[in-house]
Amino acid sequence: MPITIYDIAREAKVGIGTVSRVFNNNPNVTIETRKKVLAVSKRLHYVPHAYAQGLARKRTNTLAAIIPFFTNYFFIEVLKGVQDKCAALGYDLILYGINHPSEVEPYLNKSIQRGRVDGILYFSMKLPVDFAKRFHGVTKPLVLVDSFDESCDSLFVENLEAAKIATGHLISLGHQNVGLIDGNMSSFPARQRLEGFKHAMAEAGLGINEKAVVISTTTKLDGFSRDAGYLAMKEMMTLGAAMPTAIVISSDVQAIGAISALRERGMKVPEDVAIVSFDDIELAVHFGLTTMRQPMYEMGELAVEKLVQRFEHPDAPPSHQTFLPRLVVRTSCGMNKPETYIENFLHTEN
Amino acid sequence: MPITIYDIAREAKVGIGTVSRVFNNNPNVTIETRKKVLAVSKRLHYVPHAYAQGLARKRTNTLAAIIPFFTNYFFIEVLKGVQDKCAALGYDLILYGINHPSEVEPYLNKSIQRGRVDGILYFSMKLPVDFAKRFHGVTKPLVLVDSFDESCDSLFVENLEAAKIATGHLISLGHQNVGLIDGNMSSFPARQRLEGFKHAMAEAGLGINEKAVVISTTTKLDGFSRDAGYLAMKEMMTLGAAMPTAIVISSDVQAIGAISALRERGMKVPEDVAIVSFDDIELAVHFGLTTMRQPMYEMGELAVEKLVQRFEHPDAPPSHQTFLPRLVVRTSCGMNKPETYIENFLHTEN
DNA sequence: CTGAAAGCGCTAACAT
DNA sequence: ATGTTAGCGCTTTCAG
């Protein structure tokens, strides 16, 4: 019963080609016949069939996003940028959420399947090692978001540099014994942040207390969670007198967990321990968190733009773009800059 | 270049029908020929074309989710349930994020377009009034999540009842002057919660102080935000001595904002004001929030199941299923009995 | 400017 | 069990 171009062609007494032209805004149609076709189409409630169009046009106008940790603030925010840009550009977005590394392959396969999507947004995870091999040539445009690989376009936060800035900020405030609470090492950003932390300490001629570097071993959210932060701080506190006077924490949620661990022992931020974290989630203001804000939404938008550009220039060399997080100073680092606080209060996104 | 069943048929010296059968696990194929076909397919890296299959099969194996407020915790969590269930059932999920009411129509149109998706998940918003009319018959399976309409399957939280429970809990603790901080009235859940609040007060023979009911007027996130909660509490505090001793707040994030407004005035929770909110987000524990927990993930899963059932029984009468949030008692209500949990009900109609 | 016809790649009914 | 054929609904030459 669904009506097709044939129905409307017959009814409008034209050929199906003409009907098609009308719907594709092909200029080679008299304004008269165009009107006639449109009228009939409206009367019959004609709507083109997406898959039939896709098959004939050899494109789907759909993108796939392969994304881990659905409930992680960072990804949500990036995804929102992706979603909005897709809408603006007329693309549909298929979401493949990864709960476990083993799910990467099947989704990658689906995405690569001919005629499912035009391109892929691949988030934060490293590509399977033999990826290029196994799909030799069968692959399609893919941009890496928050990750890096020479072979394809990528877009990522300069986490090493950001960690240096965060650590440096604490050092500049006079701290000598600085610690780190980081996410799981399976996470690329977590590794980068560890590096950056070490660099900053080395540059300042400061030694690193091995025990003051607590790396999450949980795989849940790669350790970027309140619980992980709480546990890490508990561990850190076993250091007693040797405990750092300042700590870099790899996400705001972890910082919040860490703060509650501190509170349980009657310790205060920033008086007893100064903190700089990452992300700048909505509640960061509430806790007065000094944090490295990442341009998440913008990254999402740009990722889509990059992918679309790739469609247009399939043979351009891979492009790599980096974002440097911005230090947002509030109170958790012990540096009192209320004006920055106000500036960031009620900050609106969307 | 892309290889098709024709290529592999020729190479394997069989008909395309056989190739198709192999890939559709049709039993009518000798194990031998099956092997042969599979071997050639692997060698040639054959992958079926999704759209071609879709066109021929008249189904896409794809669902659309039309969802507002991407960054709202409630939706994220529900969406995760949706995503996981889709994966389990082999469906792809297209995400249409609504930033503004005006975007509903275009997305609804896209979703309804023939051959784009098999069914639609429509979240929290009311359907356009003339929906049934305008698409007379052209529509496809749609389930309403966190919203209600007689004409189609739906799935929603009993917000009225939940608000009664929340309010009742506060009343049972001895509070007479109870207030409400609610989301924007354009939100269905917000309206329901206002109703429930009123019912509970009436049932308890308590009068309502009009000024102690603060309803957000912002459209951003429909007022379900920290900022809105902060502002609402500020307003509430202008009541001075007439201020409620207990307040029902329509979300945890709002409660958090409200608490900081309280703190600024040196007021404490629950000593000065007792609070019960909604959601039970991750950080609720951190704040000791007594809250109405909604089975968000489960709702997402069930929504997909319902949609799939609808595919199988197109003519079954619409089914409506409700979820009653569970009261999770922590400390913000002033009742110090974390071990007391009121049981979670779930009842189904049809 | 427009109609006819040849695909796009696959499924499914129909023979054999 | 397997090959053949006719669609699925649209786009895109190719004539005219």
Side-chain angles (χ1 to χ4, degrees):
Chain A
M1 297 18 30
I3 68 164
T4 72
I5 39 174
Y6 287 92
D7 298 316
I8 100 106
R10 184 178 357 95
E11 204 76 4
K13 301 186 201 309
V14 297
I16 60 163
T18 301
V19 178
S20 176
R21 283 181 203 107
V22 168
F23 280 92
N24 289 291
N25 288 316
N26 184 317
N28 289 343
V29 184
T30 322
I31 189 146
E32 288 226 338
T33 51
R34 173 181 300 279
K35 270 188 185 171
K36 193 169 52 181
V37 168
L38 253 21
V40 176
S41 302
K42 171 158 284 184
R43 179 159 57 81
L44 266 42
H45 295 94
Y46 169 75
V47 190
H49 184 115
Y51 271 33
Q53 286 184 316
L55 185 57
R57 288 179 181 155
K58 295 174 178 303
R59 54 182 303 211
T60 65
N61 263 295
T62 302
L63 269 29
I66 301 181
I67 180 174
F69 305 134
F70 222 79
T71 54
N72 182 110
Y73 179 81
F74 179 84
F75 295 116
I76 298 296
E77 204 61 28
V78 177
L79 194 57
K80 181 155 171 48
V82 169
Q83 157 72 52
D84 286 352
K85 183 57 79 178
C86 276
L89 265 35
Y91 281 90
D92 278 352
L93 212 219
I94 289 184
L95 208 56
Y96 292 133
I98 305 289
N99 295 314
H100 185 85
S102 67
E103 294 173 1
V104 168
E105 290 264 344
Y107 281 141
L108 222 30
N109 276 318
K110 266 199 154 187
S111 309
I112 279 170
Q113 181 182 15
R114 286 172 308 134
R116 187 169 300 268
V117 300
D118 297 336
I120 307 165
L121 261 23
Y122 189 83
F123 285 75
S124 287
M125 302 162 294
K126 40 180 180 283
L127 289 171
V129 278
D130 48 353
F131 179 73
K133 277 210 156 71
R134 282 193 300 105
F135 302 101
H136 63 278
V138 196
T139 190
K140 57 179 67 168
L142 179 154
V143 357
L144 248 34
V145 183
D146 191 38
S147 183
F148 175 81
D149 191 292
E150 298 210 52
S151 65
C152 49
D153 294 321
S154 71
L155 201 61
F156 55 92
V157 169
E158 293 203 47
N159 279 300
L160 194 152
E161 196 58 32
K164 278 175 70 171
I165 293 173
T167 311
H169 179 65
L170 254 12
I171 294 173
S172 77
L173 258 26
H175 294 280
Q176 308 250 79
N177 184 359
V178 184
L180 172 71
I181 288 180
D182 204 358
N184 191 301
M185 283 298 105
S186 71
S187 150
F188 181 68
R191 290 199 300 276
Q192 292 286 296
R193 288 169 192 175
L194 173 59
E195 277 314 299
F197 170 76
K198 287 180 177 171
H199 279 223
M201 292 297 275
E203 274 183 18
L206 262 25
I208 293 178
N209 178 351
E210 292 284 328
K211 303 258 182 180
V213 174
V214 180
I215 291 166
S216 177
T217 53
T218 179
T219 54
K220 189 193 167 200
L221 286 168
D222 268 353
F224 291 97
S225 70
R226 194 185 94 93
D227 292 347
Y230 177 86
L231 259 22
M233 186 57 93
K234 278 280 196 203
E235 190 178 331
M236 189 80 84
M237 288 190 298
T238 62
L239 285 175
M243 212 183 117
T245 57
I247 305 179
V248 174
I249 302 182
S250 60
S251 72
D252 291 341
V253 263
Q254 287 175 92
I256 293 170
I259 289 174
S260 48
L262 248 16
R263 280 211 192 120
E264 287 182 9
R265 294 288 185 85
M267 298 183 73
K268 283 187 171 176
V269 175
E271 292 81 351
D272 299 309
V273 182
I275 287 176
V276 175
S277 48
F278 284 77
D279 281 347
D280 199 20
I281 65 177
E282 188 193 4
L283 291 178
V285 190
H286 185 88
F287 292 90
L289 256 26
T290 289
T291 189
M292 300 298 300
R293 168 161 237 290
Q294 322 199 45
M296 300 165 278
Y297 183 85
E298 292 77 6
M299 284 179 71
E301 289 190 310
L302 211 68
V304 174
E305 279 171 15
K306 265 185 131 62
L307 194 47
V308 172
Q309 271 172 32
R310 174 59 58 191
F311 296 156
E312 287 158 12
H313 308 287
D315 300 319
S319 99
H320 304 284
Q321 187 159 348
T322 63
F323 290 85
L324 189 56
R326 181 183 99 225
L327 178 68
V328 178
V329 178
R330 297 204 181 88
T331 56
S332 71
C333 61
M335 178 184 184
N336 227 347
K337 280 213 174 164
E339 63 280 11
T340 317
Y341 175 92
I342 288 165
E343 181 184 305
N344 284 281
F345 187 51
L346 292 181
H347 67 280
T348 344
E349 286 150 37
N350 299 341
Chain B
M1 314 309 73
I3 67 164
T4 73
I5 39 173
Y6 287 92
D7 298 316
I8 99 105
R10 184 177 358 93
E11 204 75 6
K13 300 186 201 311
V14 297
I16 61 163
T18 301
V19 178
S20 175
R21 282 180 205 108
V22 168
F23 280 92
N24 288 291
N25 289 315
N26 184 316
N28 289 343
V29 184
T30 322
I31 188 147
E32 289 225 338
T33 51
R34 174 182 300 278
K35 270 187 184 171
K36 192 167 55 181
V37 168
L38 252 22
V40 176
S41 301
K42 171 157 284 185
R43 178 158 59 79
L44 265 42
H45 295 94
Y46 168 74
V47 190
H49 185 115
Y51 272 32
Q53 288 182 316
L55 186 56
R57 288 180 182 153
K58 294 176 179 302
R59 54 180 303 205
T60 65
N61 263 294
T62 302
L63 269 30
I66 302 182
I67 179 175
F69 305 134
F70 221 80
T71 54
N72 182 110
Y73 180 81
F74 178 84
F75 295 116
I76 298 296
E77 204 62 26
V78 177
L79 194 57
K80 181 155 171 50
V82 168
Q83 157 72 52
D84 286 353
K85 182 58 78 178
C86 277
L89 266 34
Y91 282 90
D92 277 353
L93 211 220
I94 290 185
L95 208 57
Y96 291 131
I98 306 288
N99 296 313
H100 186 83
S102 67
E103 293 173 2
V104 168
E105 290 266 344
Y107 281 142
L108 222 31
N109 275 318
K110 266 199 155 187
S111 308
I112 278 169
Q113 181 182 17
R114 288 171 306 136
R116 186 168 300 268
V117 300
D118 298 336
I120 308 165
L121 260 25
Y122 190 83
F123 286 74
S124 287
M125 302 164 293
K126 42 179 178 281
L127 290 172
V129 279
D130 47 354
F131 179 73
K133 277 212 155 72
R134 283 194 298 104
F135 302 101
H136 63 280
V138 196
T139 188
K140 58 179 69 167
L142 179 153
V143 358
L144 248 34
V145 184
D146 191 37
S147 184
F148 175 80
D149 191 291
E150 297 209 52
S151 65
C152 50
D153 294 321
S154 71
L155 201 62
F156 55 92
V157 169
E158 292 203 48
N159 280 300
L160 193 153
E161 196 57 32
K164 278 176 70 171
I165 294 174
T167 312
H169 179 65
L170 254 13
I171 293 173
S172 76
L173 259 26
H175 294 280
Q176 308 249 78
N177 184 358
V178 184
L180 172 71
I181 288 180
D182 204 357
N184 191 300
M185 281 299 107
S186 71
S187 152
F188 181 67
R191 290 198 301 276
Q192 293 286 297
R193 288 169 192 174
L194 173 58
E195 278 314 299
F197 170 76
K198 287 180 176 170
H199 280 221
M201 292 296 275
E203 275 184 18
L206 262 26
I208 294 177
N209 179 353
E210 292 284 330
K211 303 257 183 183
V213 174
V214 181
I215 291 166
S216 177
T217 53
T218 179
T219 54
K220 190 195 168 196
L221 287 168
D222 268 352
F224 291 96
S225 70
R226 194 187 93 92
D227 293 346
Y230 176 87
L231 261 22
M233 187 56 93
K234 279 279 197 204
E235 190 177 331
M236 189 80 84
M237 289 190 296
T238 62
L239 285 175
M243 211 183 118
T245 57
I247 304 178
V248 175
I249 302 183
S250 59
S251 73
D252 292 340
V253 264
Q254 285 174 93
I256 293 170
I259 289 174
S260 50
L262 248 16
R263 280 214 192 118
E264 286 181 9
R265 292 287 185 85
M267 296 182 76
K268 283 187 171 176
V269 175
E271 292 82 350
D272 299 308
V273 182
I275 286 177
V276 175
S277 47
F278 283 77
D279 282 348
D280 198 21
I281 66 176
E282 187 192 3
L283 291 178
V285 190
H286 186 87
F287 291 90
L289 255 29
T290 289
T291 189
M292 300 298 299
R293 169 160 237 292
Q294 325 199 42
M296 301 164 278
Y297 183 86
E298 292 77 6
M299 285 180 72
E301 289 190 310
L302 211 68
V304 175
E305 279 171 15
K306 264 186 133 58
L307 194 48
V308 173
Q309 272 173 31
R310 174 60 57 193
F311 296 156
E312 288 157 13
H313 307 286
D315 299 318
S319 100
H320 304 285
Q321 187 160 348
T322 64
F323 290 86
L324 188 57
R326 183 183 96 219
L327 177 67
V328 178
V329 178
R330 297 206 180 86
T331 56
S332 71
C333 60
M335 176 186 183
N336 223 348
K337 280 197 180 172
E339 68 278 13
T340 314
Y341 281 49
I342 292 184
E343 284 313 309
N344 168 28
F345 310 50
L346 177 154
H347 51 275
T348 320
E349 293 159 24
N350 278 327

